[in-house]
Amino acid sequence: MRANFVLSGVVTGVRRNLTMTIALVLSTAIALAFVAAAILADKEIRNFKHDYESKLNVSLYLCPKPIQGAADKTDPCKARFTDAEKNSLKAKLDADPHVTKATFISEAEAVARFRKTQPTRVAQNVSVGELPASFTVHLRDIGKDYAAFVQTYQGLPGVSGTTNESDVLKRLLNIIDGVRLASITIAVVVLIASVLLIANTIQVAAAQRKNETSIMRLVGASRWMTELPFMLETIVASLVGGLISIALIWLGKHYVLDNIFKVQVQNGVIPNLGINDVLVAGGLGLLAGIAVSALTAFATLRLYVKL
């Protein structure tokens, strides 16, 4: 009997405040979607660090064939590297105590690797000779040894320059971290709006049903019994919004990783996120949303509404 009474109160409240309930569902869905996006961004950062921190290399680029009419006075390369220069660099790298491994990447292999990480329409426009040959060098401690490595090898014959993959990775991680911070900021703003909307919805609903709740108290109903329908209304709205947010983040993941970065994900350049990651992030956001809505409803009923 009590359960039927509480449920009928919930249905009545939702029907009377349908537009506010829809607004609450949508705002909750948006807030929880950004919460889940922040969780997924953090997961992606941890995946990147796990996959790449122990595999970071330094690339030592060799001089390519000069392009006629495009001479640059600041370019250290005046001609394509020779086999003697390549062999000399290889011997020096093998004897370097800071180097654990050095692998030569030819111009043809550089193009082949590039084509694996790029869409077909981009890869078709790159031919052998447009990307320089290089040595992929693994240092014992890339953080401590890179500066000395650059000083040692930068000015040698046949060398055009060096790049540190840790810098590239840091920039990429910074971008993802920026997405995470933006998601958290937006989630907090929308969540605050949702909390205010919950408080207003409850106050309006309580005012509409003031006579009903007064009669219930006169016949012996506890305060919990009169408050429970209002709390359940907000919890149900948050539950529906949470389920919508899971669908939203799945669509977002599908659009970003399965379409925009499809080739990079397929080739293992960018770690993928599975459906389990989406469900875990969405589930955590859903539980957080239900907890916040329940606490907000309880605080509003106790502090601002007299039943």
Side-chain angles (χ1 to χ4, degrees):
M1 182 66 181
R2 287 185 176 183
N4 291 334
F5 174 78
V6 171
L7 291 176
S8 64
V10 172
V11 173
T12 301
V14 171
R15 187 177 65 251
R16 287 179 177 177
N17 301 286
L18 184 59
T19 55
M20 294 186 71
T21 301
I22 293 174
L24 179 58
V25 168
L26 295 178
S27 63
T28 302
I30 294 171
L32 297 185
F34 278 107
V35 169
I39 295 173
L40 290 177
D42 185 69
K43 171 72 172 177
E44 190 74 349
I45 288 174
R46 286 187 279 113
N47 287 346
F48 260 106
K49 289 183 177 180
H50 178 269
D51 290 348
Y52 286 97
E53 274 186 337
S54 61
K55 303 176 183 178
L56 294 178
N57 298 312
V58 174
S59 292
L60 185 67
Y61 292 106
L62 305 186
C63 291
K65 183 179 179 180
I67 300 175
Q68 291 184 352
D72 187 352
K73 294 181 179 180
T74 62
D75 190 350
C77 298
K78 305 305 179 184
R80 185 180 182 274
F81 72 93
T82 63
D83 289 339
E85 291 171 340
K86 182 188 75 171
N87 295 334
S88 176
L89 286 170
K90 176 62 174 172
K92 189 174 181 63
L93 290 169
D94 290 340
D96 193 326
H98 300 297
V99 175
T100 59
K101 185 180 179 181
T103 305
F104 177 71
I105 307 298
S106 67
E107 293 165 327
E109 189 173 352
V111 171
R113 291 187 176 190
F114 177 81
R115 288 173 176 171
K116 287 182 179 180
T117 61
Q118 300 299 321
T120 304
R121 62 180 181 276
V122 176
Q124 289 176 344
N125 296 324
V126 179
S127 58
V128 176
E130 294 183 4
L131 297 178
S134 64
F135 281 100
T136 298
V137 182
H138 192 88
L139 299 177
R140 293 189 185 278
D141 190 330
I142 194 170
K144 296 180 180 179
D145 299 335
Y146 179 67
F149 178 86
V150 172
Q151 290 181 352
T152 302
Y153 291 90
Q154 183 67 58
L156 294 180
V159 175
S160 65
T162 62
T163 56
N164 182 356
E165 288 185 355
S166 65
D167 291 338
V168 177
L169 181 61
K170 286 178 182 177
R171 287 196 293 270
L172 186 56
L173 291 178
N174 286 337
I175 293 173
I176 299 175
D177 195 47
V179 173
R180 179 179 61 176
L181 292 176
S183 298
I184 292 173
T185 302
I186 296 173
V188 169
V189 172
V190 181
L191 202 57
I192 291 173
S194 299
V195 167
L196 296 176
L197 185 58
I198 290 172
N200 289 334
T201 302
I202 288 178
Q203 292 183 62
V204 171
Q208 290 176 341
R209 291 149 63 182
K210 186 174 182 180
N211 292 334
E212 298 174 23
T213 54
S214 297
I215 294 173
M216 290 171 59
R217 294 302 301 273
L218 288 174
V219 298
S222 65
R223 186 168 183 177
W224 266 109
M225 183 58 65
T226 56
E227 291 175 346
L228 190 57
F230 300 101
M231 295 182 64
L232 287 178
E233 288 176 32
T234 61
I235 291 174
V236 169
S238 297
L239 176 62
V240 175
L243 294 176
I244 294 174
S245 73
I246 294 176
L248 290 176
I249 59 174
W250 183 84
L251 289 174
K253 178 264 178 189
H254 179 73
Y255 177 73
V256 174
L257 293 182
D258 298 342
N259 286 278
I260 297 178
F261 297 109
K262 180 179 179 180
V263 176
Q264 290 82 353
V265 170
Q266 288 178 342
N267 291 300
V269 177
I270 296 178
N272 195 12
L273 294 172
I275 187 64
N276 288 339
D277 297 317
V278 173
L279 291 177
V280 169
L284 291 175
L286 175 61
L287 293 176
I290 291 174
V292 169
S293 64
L295 290 173
T296 302
F298 177 77
T300 302
L301 291 167
R302 291 288 171 165
L303 298 177
Y304 300 105
V305 180
K306 293 183 178 180
L307 296 177

